Amino acid sequence: MNLLSKKQKLLLVDDDAIFVEIAKRTIEKTGAVESLQVFPDGEGAISFLKEHKSEPDIIPDFIFLDINMPFMDGWQFLDEYANFVNSLIKKPAIYMVSSSVDDSDLRRAKEIPLVRDYIIKPVSLDSFKKILNNEAI
């Protein structure tokens, strides 16, 4: 396994408190993360990204995005994100993370160029390590 020379910044957008807590612990075990911001809905994450769009040290390297959330779900997040992504100083890699095994969700995610992959919950330590290492190569 490759060791990362650069610690990654992550944004976790998910309203499931249990998943968030497990994901935080799992991500911490990778040893590859410098910071982790958590938002329970897409709206807060969008505001955060817009507010820090020209700050490369704050914009995350990765966004792990749930589909089903209150206020602004993952699909709405992606629609809004597409409107300003070009104004971001760097472009985070977006991974959809969901408990949905619905083929239509998977197909829809694969059709969106901004989404790198679709991961079904729970996300294993090996999955997080693989994602973080592949992006660092």
Side-chain angles (χ1 to χ4, degrees):
M1 174 180 1
N2 296 333
L3 292 176
L4 295 174
S5 57
K6 175 184 174 266
K7 296 278 189 173
Q8 308 293 332
K9 290 180 245 355
L10 277 64
L11 187 66
L12 180 59
V13 187
D14 199 308
D15 66 320
D16 180 342
I18 294 169
F19 171 76
V20 168
E21 191 55 40
I22 293 168
K24 281 180 176 177
R25 291 178 186 183
T26 305
I27 288 166
E28 191 175 287
K29 288 178 185 174
T30 68
V33 178
E34 174 185 314
S35 67
L36 174 63
Q37 292 280 332
V38 179
F39 290 93
D41 63 72
E43 201 170 51
I46 289 289
S47 295
F48 173 82
L49 292 168
K50 284 181 176 178
E51 182 179 335
H52 299 288
K53 67 183 177 185
S54 59
E55 299 174 67
D57 292 338
I58 296 178
I59 294 292
D61 301 295
F62 298 89
I63 297 173
F64 293 97
L65 178 66
D66 187 24
I67 293 176
N68 298 309
M69 296 176 289
F71 307 114
M72 179 186 281
D73 68 20
W75 305 121
Q76 293 166 322
F77 171 94
L78 289 168
D79 288 343
E80 181 65 24
Y81 180 81
N83 292 328
F84 73 89
V85 64
N86 291 330
S87 70
L88 293 175
I89 197 154
K90 73 179 186 187
K91 313 296 184 274
I94 299 177
Y95 289 83
M96 298 294 289
V97 181
S98 180
S99 53
S100 172
V101 292
D102 186 330
D103 282 343
S104 65
D105 284 339
L106 182 58
R107 267 196 313 277
R108 186 173 176 189
K110 297 275 185 194
E111 291 171 358
I112 300 172
L114 293 169
V115 175
R116 291 275 173 94
D117 205 352
Y118 186 97
I119 305 164
I120 296 173
K121 292 178 183 177
V123 184
S124 69
L125 176 60
D126 284 344
S127 293
F128 276 124
K129 282 181 176 178
K130 182 180 177 211
I131 290 166
L132 298 173
N133 279 318
N134 284 345
E135 291 298 325
I137 294 171

